Amino acid sequence: MARELLEGNMAMAEAAIRAGVQAYFGYPITPQTELLEWMAKRMPELGRAFVQAESEVAAINMVYGAACTGVRVMSSSSSPGVSLMMEGLSYIAGTELPVVLIDVVRGGPGLGNIAPSQGDYNQIVHGGGHGDYHPIVLAPASVQEAVDLVVLAFDLAEKYRSIVVVLADGNIGQMMEPVELPEMQPVERPIPDWAVRGCEGRGRRVLSSIYIKPEEEEVTNLRLLQRWQTVQDNEIRYREYFMDDAEIVVLGYGTAGRIAFSAVRQARAEGIPVGLFRPVSLSPYPYAQVKAIAQRAKAMLVVEMNTGQMLDDVLRAVEGKVPVEFYGRLGGVVPYPDEILDEIRRIARGPISIGVDPRQAWMKRLSQLIMN
Amino acid sequence: MTDATVQVVYSRPKALTDTPTTYCPGCTHGVAHRLIAEVLDEMGIVGKTIGVAPVGCSVFAYNFFECDFVEAAHGRAPAMATGIKRVLPDRIVFTYQGDGDLASIGMAEIMHASARGENITVIFINNAIYGMTGGQMAPTTLPGQKTTSSPLGRDVEQAGFPVRMAEVLATMEGTGYSVRRSLHDPKNVRLAKKAIRTAFEVQKRGLGFSIVELLSTCPTNWGMTPVEALKWVEEHMLPVFPLGDYKVSPAVAEIKI
Ligand SMILES: Cc1ncc(C[n+]2csc(CCOP(=O)(O)OP(=O)(O)O)c2C)c(N)n1
């Protein structure tokens, strides 16, 4: 299939359409709006449902209703809008419905700004709505990968009756790159046996997140956890670059991972034995792989566009076996490859010691950098 | 007496399940449920209907109806109904909502469902109080009415005025049918049923958003006997919430039942 030049938001929208999304509900917010606009044009011309909701609260509850009918449904938004969706996401999780959400993260907290950020890692990967559940979270580092992950998201959502979040950032959403779009899949798909569509010819069905008896909610929570363990066993995804002989390993996801890749390539050209590990599934997180890296690497560098939210997951996997350093830019500031290259060089010059809090050390360095 | 002389004059509608009620004695939620069920039976649409239950005393509405049901978050039933109806436009989708659910936390969702002319039916139970959470002030609580969160009576200077949703929603172009009825005596119950039937007919014909507001009782949280509560509706609620047809679009006026 021919490659075409597309903006990330539009490419993700078209990918969802080709994956057979039958209903889209959203609300405008930068840097995600082009996705909604693409849907506004394409969905009606294909005879599919599109509604610009009155708020993200309404949008996610429309998604909730549409998901009950057993078809492929989605929404998209950016940080403040996703905060508003947390109630609905929790209900969707509690009702065990397949739903895809694209979150094009921007700088925060609060109104923040509209620049690319990874500040919502914890909100999406570890937090979210109330109650005990896990969404699947996938982080693309290019427009092509965003397209591929959107298609995968629908498959995983259906397979595990789960929420799947494609966690992008303003960079992925708004940059243009050549992409190969997937084939158009049919929207007519088998309707699952739990879907609510009117009880003609069968017994009535109820879809709900209510389990008023704690004993029944406990069973439900346990079922969710068991399903989650299956997800953990089967859906870990990551990419490795120059890892075979790497003594220093850089870890980063999404845009930060991609920028780190440029730095790693330059460092390799300088003869530094450095590699890149880029988690693609942030939830489930590749703990075992990071743990294995910690057994053989001499040092690790975590790069993020936040204050070290994934860093905590890395430290948990590393268990102090190897020195870990951190480099982050904040609030919508995107690091340059040179900044990361300098970090790699500094680590290559060594020695860095175990036991130093990587976040504390980085804060000192960053303060010096940005106060100048 | 021989069998031939036995005549069934009253029985449970087919659209209601054989489930003991969970509502308090004297509460009119049960009456409203029955009227909806009778209408579903008469129209023969149980198999095509999807109900959306609210958060409130009727959170378990899905236990009582023979049709498919989903359970919404507090106030979000119109949004959830929108999602269902947009995917399945040939099904009948209705929400069943209390006054806290519809006129407080869910105000945005109900207004915009109406603004979009969403082809759904809303049965709105106005009992002037939050029943489920134990009798707090609702957006429909009357001026001076005592509740657990307006213990001295609703002070309009502090807590504002009751919201009249049938009138408000009648101002919206997307609304085809907006009326208020009451469940406080047999005559009004009959009128309420006719309105519910009309509202479902509006949806069946694709004539836009339809809502029936039903004045209802909450003897438990009002601190009254069921009979006193019915009288209280008549004496105190009717003056604040006048019964009437607030919007019947010309196309809806043509419907003959
Ligand atoms: C987001 C959220 N806020 C608050 C509640 C608690 N709550 C449950 S029912 C209810 C009030 C329901 O009152 P109403 O809609 O008037 O229905 P009724 O119980 O009187 O039938 C509230 C506040 C909730 N479940 N969810």
Side-chain angles (χ1 to χ4, degrees), chain A residues 51-251:
Chain A
V51 178
Q52 177 173 328
E54 60 271 29
S55 68
E56 290 85 352
V57 174
I60 197 67
N61 282 286
M62 290 175 190
V63 165
Y64 186 19
C68 288
T69 70
V71 301
R72 293 192 155 184
V73 298
M74 70 170 291
S75 185
S76 60
S77 189
S78 177
S79 310
V82 172
S83 290
L84 274 185
M85 290 183 175
M86 286 305 166
E87 176 198 49
L89 289 170
S90 170
Y91 279 72
I92 288 164
T95 313
E96 300 170 59
L97 295 172
V99 159
V100 171
L101 172 67
I102 298 176
D103 182 359
V104 186
V105 179
R106 61 188 241 181
L111 201 48
N113 56 47
I114 56 175
S117 164
Q118 297 182 327
D120 300 350
Y121 178 95
N122 277 340
Q123 181 194 32
I124 301 300
V125 173
H126 292 304
H130 59 282
D132 219 336
Y133 73 93
H134 300 267
I136 296 172
V137 183
L138 307 171
S142 69
V143 176
Q144 183 65 57
E145 194 175 29
V147 162
D148 299 343
L149 291 182
V150 165
V151 177
L152 176 68
F154 282 101
D155 293 340
L156 294 181
E158 256 167 31
K159 185 168 177 190
Y160 298 106
R161 289 182 66 171
S162 170
I163 296 166
V164 182
V165 182
V166 176
L167 190 67
D169 58 57
N171 210 49
I172 301 295
Q174 300 207 309
M175 123 183 111
M176 289 183 85
E177 282 189 316
V179 284
E180 191 179 319
L181 289 164
E183 300 269 346
M184 184 69 94
Q185 294 184 34
V187 272
E188 297 296 332
R189 331 175 58 82
I191 296 297
D193 61 7
W194 46 259
V196 156
R197 300 168 70 90
C199 65
E200 208 144 45
R202 60 161 168 80
R204 75 195 184 96
R205 287 182 193 152
V206 173
L207 282 174
S208 166
S209 66
I210 195 170
Y211 295 92
I212 203 72
K213 296 196 181 97
E215 300 75 28
E216 288 174 12
E217 185 72 274
E218 186 176 51
V219 169
T220 303
N221 277 217
L222 191 62
R223 180 173 65 245
L224 293 179
L225 180 63
Q226 283 160 346
R227 190 179 304 157
W228 181 245
Q229 280 172 346
T230 314
V231 174
Q232 284 178 316
D233 290 344
N234 295 289
E235 307 301 344
I236 300 282
R237 286 177 169 81
Y238 54 89
R239 297 292 295 270
E240 294 182 307
Y241 309 86
F242 307 113
M243 284 292 288
D244 288 347
D245 60 344
E247 292 176 13
I248 301 169
V249 175
V250 181
L251 292 101

Side-chain angles (χ1 to χ4, degrees), chain A residues 87 91, chain B residues 23 27 29 54-59 73-76 96-103 105 124-134 136 138-140 218 221:
Chain A
E87 176 198 49
Y91 279 72
Chain B
Y23 296 110
C27 163
H29 267 307
V55 171
C57 288
S58 43
V59 67
H74 195 19
R76 318 295 177 221
Y96 184 100
Q97 303 181 254
D99 40 43
D101 194 75
L102 180 141
I105 196 167
F124 170 37
I125 305 297
N126 176 357
N127 60 8
I129 207 155
Y130 281 22
M132 178 78 152
T133 39
Q136 297 78 29
T140 46
C218 183
N221 288 302

